[in-house]
Amino acid sequence: MNEKKIKIVDLKTNHIKNPIGYDLTKQHLSWSYVVEDGFTDLLSKIRVIVAHDLGFEDSVYESNEVNSHHTVNHEMALELEPRKRYYWKVDAQLESGLAIESEVAYFETGKLEEAWVGQWIGIEGEECANPLVRREINIEKEVKSARLYITGLGLYECYLNGQYMNDGYLQPGFNSYKLWQQYQTMDVTESLDIGLNVLGVMLGDGWYKGRFGVNGGYENNFGENYHILCELHIQYADGSSEVIGSDEMFKYHEGPVGFANIYDGEILDMTKDEEGWMLSDYDDSQWRSVKTLMPESPGKLGERFSLPVVAKEKLKVKAVLKDPEGNLVLDVGQNVTGWLTFKDTLNKGEKVTCLFAEHMQEERLCRENLLTANATFTYTSDGKGRIVRPHFTYYGFRYIQVSGMGDELDPDNFEIWCLYSDMPMTGYLETGNHKVNKFIQNAVWSQKDNFLEHPTDCPQRSERLGWTGDAQMYFKTAAYNMFVPAFFRKYMKDINEEQMDKNGWVPFIVPKIKGRGFDDNGQDTCSAAWSDIATIVPWHLYEYYGDKSLLDEQFPGMKAWVDYIIGKDKEDGSKYLWQTGFHFGDWLALDNPEPGPFGMTPPHFIASCYYYYSTYLLSKAAKVLGKEETAEQYRNHAEKVKSAITEAYFSEGIVQIDTQTAYILAIYMDLVSSEDQMKNGEKLALKIASNDGHLDTGFVGTPYICLALSKVGLSSVAYDLLLNEDFPSWIDQVNKGATTVWEAWDALDSDRKLNGEPSLNHYVFGSVLEWLYGDVCGIKPIEGYPGFERVHLSPKPDPRLGKAKATFESSYGTYEIHWKYLEDARVSVDVSIPYTGSARLTLAESDIDVVLNHGKYHYEYEVTSV
């Protein structure tokens, strides 16, 4: 047996590689296996070892040996020490007797409950905008290790001796700062020198105090001032230690960022930069001392949840355009989120202005759909030839109008940094239709562009908010495309904190933010389908990643939300329906003849459906967590809700609301028997046919429409919808030049002009990718085998698509399937099953129904649907 044929790799703690200073209240350890083709030796025993040292001599935890071929994760609940690094590895034994050992990973705690030596310090906002802060630190001995624990409000960038220390941008991230706050931990060992060192911090407004919110928002949402809290912990080679905390020895001064906020962009004037301010030979005698100053929104401070926002991709400019007035416009060729960066070739005092937009109309930059966002970057050169980037803002754009750099622009002088939270891709889709493939790319880009710190609705206009409905409706597509458990753990933390502050209800925007027309007025700003993220995402996190600790962590929030709905039902007479309050309904559906965003499906029918669905998911979660009494209680309640819905809205098993979305919910949410689902499917197909073969659904119906059709054996109708090329359809967007998914089906008219002020970068309608992964290609998890330990491969080929291929890197390894139509009325199917996974393969129009373990397989069968 060749030991090199199998390796244990990709070790993660709480779904992050080697996390430092993240929340480790619970510890979920996971790993993957890499095996060569033909490897058949199975795992026999697994053991996890945790120690304080790399040599594993000071062991603090050893799991019992687990006898399982499929084990790829382990849950612990260690009592951890503050500011401590823990190393861990996986030992395994194969059935042949061969022993293997993983690479070594680690996790490191933050301060935990340890009291802070550092004090909150601050600069009053009216005294100085976007200040620079510095502190000189004298080190006289050799440093063995050093950690910096730091946060800044609104946003901060940290430098040690001129070296950028943050692991990302726009930190500490966005959350409801009045409820909770997070700090970052930085390993700064290699950045400290014997002698004089300088800790420098740039501060910006960010979400904390910059203009932000609904309908233009407000300034100073959480506070009016700038703040820093930090501690530098140094361990010296001689065994001694030192702690340097933030205090009034820190000094501040005006910096080069004259203005910055999320919506309006940034003004960066490098002629006002304090040259050398980050270095030890700088004279700061003219700087002012900071004050000891607590934040106005002093939420509980803890270890970080937010993944770093990084430049995951860097693109070149595709073309330089010139509008009818002679303005120069850079075309990126792709609607992205992030920054334009460039090499400064200007003379001192020369100014560049960049205007960002996602659309060109009549050959001119079109910014009408930015609403009130100014989305501008203004740069004044100091003539030093630096690489220029913003610091405290971001943009959603495809086009940038650039002035101040002459009559010609060299595209090679520019680079586009695509910013989003640090998550790898896990899924890949390709079909035989190039327009479908383009839409797939568009949906993936919309996900990247909107998964920046929190799941936003859009990245470009004066909104960029955490609409909960968008996130829950797209979650399963998101989880196919990218590795999202840590990202959504942070977002669910946001939601749970809001719930604890609000008697269980979930705002439809999280973090909750002020906005004109959305201010607190004595009513709960929640809505069915939107606020049901509290139950839907935790359940699917468990289903897709197999991490029971996530489900356990979020169970109180799941229950609190369902109990809130039950409370509203009781106030209304215990009808087992949700018939009160405001709801968005089938937002932006096209079936309402009256102008406006509301679809025809009654919002209280939708609310009652989600009442059932959330209660049902809560009961399932309780059962998984061993809460049998709670599971039975809510399962019984869910059945009463279903019965009430059936009595109120159904006749002979068919929903009596004649809209596509009503039929979809009846099928998707199992509101009726399998036989009656077929009846509702027939009604749905007729409704689509009466609409000239097109959908007319909005935010609630669209994510489920193809899934519902395939569920009742009408995949051919789902393919009709997918392959439609005229309005309204997914490919209609492609035909009109889209590079991301639109907010509304009619965002652009037939002349490719904006129809109102819609966003051209909303991901909800891209949720059809879940159907492409799960039905067209057939990779679906099986309940009871979370994390895709076992899947049901049941592809639904259609000759109009010709072929389809999906690859999905699950917790249990990578599943692949590729089907295509051959010339002789046959379909070929190639399947790859990962080492620790398994699948039931069911091929329609054939008698193939088999269970497959690790390996590669090829099948061919005759079909009649050619």
Side-chain angles (χ1 to χ4, degrees):
M1 180 62 61
N2 185 346
E3 185 178 349
K4 292 183 179 180
K5 287 188 175 181
I6 181 171
K7 292 181 180 178
I8 306 173
V9 298
D10 199 26
L11 277 65
K12 297 188 182 77
T13 305
N14 291 356
H15 310 286
I16 303 170
K17 288 186 177 180
N18 299 332
I20 299 179
Y22 283 82
D23 180 88
L24 294 167
T25 304
K26 297 180 179 180
Q27 308 99 41
H28 177 269
L29 308 181
S30 59
W31 55 90
S32 301
Y33 299 93
V34 174
V35 299
E36 295 181 4
D37 288 346
F39 185 82
T40 57
D41 198 0
L42 297 181
L43 290 163
S44 175
K45 297 178 180 179
I46 298 290
R47 185 175 62 151
V48 174
I49 306 171
V50 184
H52 284 313
D53 63 310
L54 269 169
F56 289 86
E57 295 178 0
D58 185 10
S59 173
V60 297
Y61 177 84
E62 294 188 19
S63 69
N64 295 325
E65 290 186 336
V66 178
N67 297 312
S68 173
H69 164 55
H70 294 283
T71 301
V72 295
N73 57 61
H74 183 74
E75 293 180 14
M76 305 185 303
L78 294 182
E79 291 292 328
L80 303 175
E81 301 176 47
R83 298 182 290 103
K84 196 80 171 181
R85 176 166 291 191
Y86 294 81
Y87 297 92
W88 67 280
K89 64 179 181 177
V90 179
D91 289 344
Q93 187 177 51
L94 303 178
E95 289 185 345
S96 64
L98 179 67
I100 59 173
E101 185 177 273
S102 74
E103 58 191 13
V104 176
Y106 63 82
F107 55 87
E108 184 175 317
T109 57
K111 287 175 59 61
L112 303 181
E113 299 300 319
E114 185 180 67
W116 282 78
V117 173
Q119 305 172 69
W120 277 106
I121 57 176
I123 301 99
E124 294 181 357
E126 68 270 16
E127 290 185 2
C128 183
N130 308 292
L132 308 178
V133 182
R134 76 189 302 269
R135 164 72 145 86
E136 294 182 352
I137 301 165
N138 191 39
I139 294 177
E140 299 178 346
K141 298 181 288 187
E142 181 184 350
V143 174
K144 179 182 178 182
S145 68
R147 298 291 185 272
L148 179 64
Y149 306 91
I150 182 170
T151 190
L153 298 172
L155 301 175
Y156 77 96
E157 292 188 353
C158 176
Y159 299 82
L160 256 178
N161 299 323
Q163 180 182 353
Y164 187 69
M165 299 307 301
N166 301 59
D167 62 356
Y169 305 103
L170 304 173
Q171 289 178 337
F174 177 38
N175 42 272
S176 183
Y177 305 100
K178 67 179 181 179
L179 301 180
W180 71 286
Q181 298 182 27
Q182 54 187 326
Y183 64 88
Q184 280 73 40
T185 301
M186 302 175 185
D187 182 350
V188 298
T189 308
E190 300 301 321
S191 300
L192 293 175
D193 302 316
I194 294 177
L196 199 60
N197 295 261
V198 176
L199 172 62
V201 180
M202 297 177 66
L203 291 169
D205 290 4
W207 296 279
Y208 180 79
K209 67 185 298 296
R211 181 169 77 93
F212 194 72
V214 183
N215 297 331
Y218 293 90
E219 294 183 354
N220 302 322
N221 278 283
F222 298 96
E224 298 181 359
N225 305 315
Y226 302 95
H227 302 272
I228 294 174
L229 176 66
C230 67
E231 285 180 2
L232 177 62
H233 287 246
I234 305 173
Q235 297 288 329
Y236 292 107
D238 65 5
S240 62
S241 62
E242 183 178 10
V243 180
I244 300 167
S246 47
D247 56 22
E248 293 184 356
M249 291 185 67
F250 283 67
K251 294 183 175 183
Y252 74 95
H253 197 278
E254 291 80 7
V257 179
F259 170 85
N261 75 29
I262 299 297
Y263 291 159
D264 297 318
E266 183 166 311
I267 299 174
L268 179 61
D269 186 349
M270 292 308 297
T271 65
K272 297 180 179 180
D273 185 41
E274 293 293 314
E275 184 176 1
W277 71 274
M278 303 176 187
L279 305 177
S280 60
D281 57 356
Y282 176 81
D283 179 7
D284 65 3
S285 59
Q286 301 302 309
W287 288 41
R288 291 167 282 180
S289 294
V290 302
K291 301 176 182 179
T292 301
L293 188 64
M294 283 289 294
E296 296 160 78
S297 300
K300 179 176 171 57
L301 181 67
E303 287 70 46
R304 71 189 286 188
F305 280 74
S306 289
L307 294 170
V309 171
V310 296
K312 290 289 288 185
E313 298 171 61
K314 297 183 179 181
L315 306 179
K316 299 301 292 183
V317 171
K318 294 292 185 183
V320 179
L321 312 175
K322 186 174 288 189
D323 74 10
E325 287 70 45
N327 297 305
L328 298 175
V329 178
L330 304 177
D331 180 4
V332 180
Q334 172 63 52
N335 203 358
V336 300
T337 296
W339 295 331
L340 173 70
T341 69
F342 56 88
K343 176 72 179 295
D344 178 2
T345 58
L346 305 171
N347 297 317
K348 183 176 181 179
E350 292 183 330
K351 184 167 72 173
V352 173
T353 300
C354 303
L355 305 178
F356 295 82
E358 59 174 357
H359 186 53
M360 292 279 285
Q361 199 159 290
E362 296 179 338
E363 300 182 350
R364 295 174 177 86
L365 203 69
C366 179
R367 286 161 51 92
E368 282 76 8
N369 67 336
L370 300 185
L371 306 181
T372 64
N374 195 33
T376 301
F377 180 58
T378 302
Y379 172 75
T380 303
S381 174
D382 60 357
K384 298 291 180 63
R386 69 185 72 245
I387 299 298
V388 179
R389 69 164 175 90
H391 295 271
F392 300 122
T393 190
Y394 70 89
Y395 308 89
F397 63 98
R398 173 176 171 173
Y399 303 97
I400 315 104
Q401 182 175 305
V402 180
S403 60
M405 298 185 86
D407 296 331
E408 300 291 335
L409 297 177
D410 180 0
D412 292 334
N413 192 39
F414 300 91
E415 191 170 56
I416 290 81
W417 289 13
C418 304
L419 299 181
Y420 51 97
S421 293
D422 192 7
M423 293 172 285
M425 300 300 299
T426 52
Y428 172 79
L429 282 170
E430 183 180 4
T431 76
N433 184 303
H434 73 277
K435 292 183 179 180
V436 172
N437 293 343
K438 177 57 179 169
F439 184 82
I440 291 167
Q441 294 172 17
N442 292 357
V444 171
W445 269 108
S446 276
Q447 181 174 337
K448 293 174 181 178
D449 293 344
N450 282 291
F451 276 32
L452 187 154
E453 173 54 23
H454 67 301
T456 60
D457 60 327
C458 61
Q460 76 294 99
R461 67 191 183 192
S462 53
E463 193 165 4
R464 314 185 199 190
L465 298 167
W467 285 93
T468 51
D470 302 47
Q472 80 85 356
M473 294 160 190
Y474 193 77
F475 175 82
K476 288 200 282 186
T477 292
Y480 275 118
N481 287 334
M482 298 168 74
F483 188 68
V484 300
F487 179 80
F488 271 95
R489 183 187 182 224
K490 184 269 175 182
Y491 192 55
M492 294 311 300
K493 166 75 171 174
D494 288 325
I495 289 167
N496 297 159
E497 290 288 344
E498 296 284 1
Q499 287 184 275
M500 287 189 286
D501 186 58
K502 297 172 176 61
N503 193 32
W505 63 270
V506 180
F508 42 67
I509 295 172
V510 175
K512 190 175 186 298
I513 198 81
K514 291 189 295 184
R516 292 166 179 81
F518 284 78
D519 299 320
D520 290 338
N521 56 5
Q523 296 184 350
D524 302 343
T525 53
C526 55
S527 167
W530 275 248
S531 302
D532 290 282
I533 191 173
T535 54
I536 293 172
V537 165
W539 175 254
H540 292 318
L541 273 170
Y542 169 69
E543 181 184 36
Y544 273 58
Y545 296 104
D547 183 354
K548 192 184 293 186
S549 68
L550 289 177
L551 192 63
D552 186 46
E553 182 174 75
Q554 293 152 17
F555 185 81
M558 298 177 73
K559 185 175 181 298
W561 171 241
V562 171
D563 287 345
Y564 172 83
I565 306 174
I566 292 173
K568 290 297 177 184
D569 176 18
K570 288 180 178 179
E571 291 175 7
D572 194 41
S574 295
K575 301 172 183 175
Y576 294 97
L577 299 170
W578 193 2
Q579 302 286 282
T580 62
F582 166 80
H583 301 280
F584 288 104
D586 195 20
W587 185 253
L588 296 182
L590 297 173
D591 58 355
N592 194 336
E594 299 294 327
F598 296 97
M600 283 295 289
T601 308
H604 288 129
F605 168 72
I606 294 173
S608 296
C609 292
Y610 275 93
Y611 180 9
Y612 163 72
Y613 193 54
S614 278
T615 309
Y616 172 63
L617 292 182
L618 175 63
S619 71
K620 293 210 295 183
K623 183 174 179 61
V624 167
L625 296 173
K627 304 175 186 291
E628 295 293 344
E629 185 175 332
T630 302
E632 183 177 2
Q633 173 191 347
Y634 286 96
R635 183 167 55 250
N636 291 339
H637 194 92
E639 288 303 316
K640 292 178 181 178
V641 175
K642 183 193 283 189
S643 296
I645 293 171
T646 301
E647 183 176 347
Y649 294 107
F650 287 76
S651 176
E652 297 182 354
I654 299 174
V655 66
Q656 298 302 290
I657 299 168
D658 190 29
T659 67
Q660 292 183 18
T661 292
Y663 297 124
I664 291 164
L665 292 179
I667 298 165
Y668 181 82
M669 292 186 176
D670 293 319
L671 294 174
V672 290
S673 67
S674 297
E675 181 181 348
D676 288 339
Q677 285 179 20
M678 304 293 285
K679 296 178 184 177
N680 284 278
E682 292 169 2
K683 286 285 191 178
L684 174 59
L686 289 172
K687 192 68 178 174
I688 292 169
S690 70
N691 194 42
D692 194 28
H694 291 75
L695 50 71
D696 58 18
T697 49
F699 274 35
V700 168
T702 302
Y704 308 140
I705 187 168
C706 290
L707 297 168
L709 288 165
S710 285
K711 187 174 181 178
V712 294
L714 295 173
S715 290
S716 62
V717 180
Y719 272 102
D720 292 341
L721 298 178
L722 176 71
L723 297 172
N724 279 336
E725 295 208 11
D726 56 342
F727 170 82
S729 69
W730 292 284
I731 294 181
D732 176 59
Q733 298 183 17
V734 173
N735 289 338
K736 290 175 179 174
T739 65
T740 45
V741 179
W742 298 344
E743 175 184 17
W745 296 110
D746 57 353
L748 296 185
D749 64 20
S750 57
D751 295 323
R752 301 190 182 184
K753 292 182 180 180
L754 282 177
N755 188 2
E757 299 175 329
S759 162
L760 301 182
N761 203 348
H762 261 63
Y763 50 71
V764 169
F765 291 159
S767 54
V768 68
L769 267 61
E770 180 193 346
W771 175 71
L772 288 166
Y773 277 110
D775 282 294
V776 171
C777 295
I779 304 177
K780 280 186 176 179
I782 297 177
E783 188 165 336
Y785 298 91
F788 290 76
E789 178 183 358
R790 179 175 292 181
V791 304
H792 190 188
L793 293 177
S794 182
K796 298 171 177 62
D798 188 290
R800 291 170 291 175
L801 202 58
K803 63 180 179 180
K805 180 179 181 180
T807 300
F808 176 57
E809 186 179 338
S810 77
S811 299
Y812 283 85
T814 301
Y815 291 91
E816 294 185 26
I817 186 166
H818 181 198
W819 60 257
K820 63 180 178 180
Y821 278 79
L822 305 175
E823 293 181 356
D824 55 352
R826 297 177 65 81
V827 172
S828 74
V829 179
D830 291 284
V831 172
S832 178
I833 309 299
Y835 178 64
T836 48
S838 64
R840 177 186 173 190
L841 176 67
T842 305
L843 299 179
E845 296 191 68
S846 81
D847 58 358
I848 298 170
D849 190 351
V850 294
V851 174
L852 305 175
N853 292 316
H854 171 234
K856 296 181 184 296
Y857 304 87
H858 176 79
Y859 298 89
E860 291 186 14
Y861 61 96
E862 293 183 0
V863 293
T864 58
S865 59
V866 177

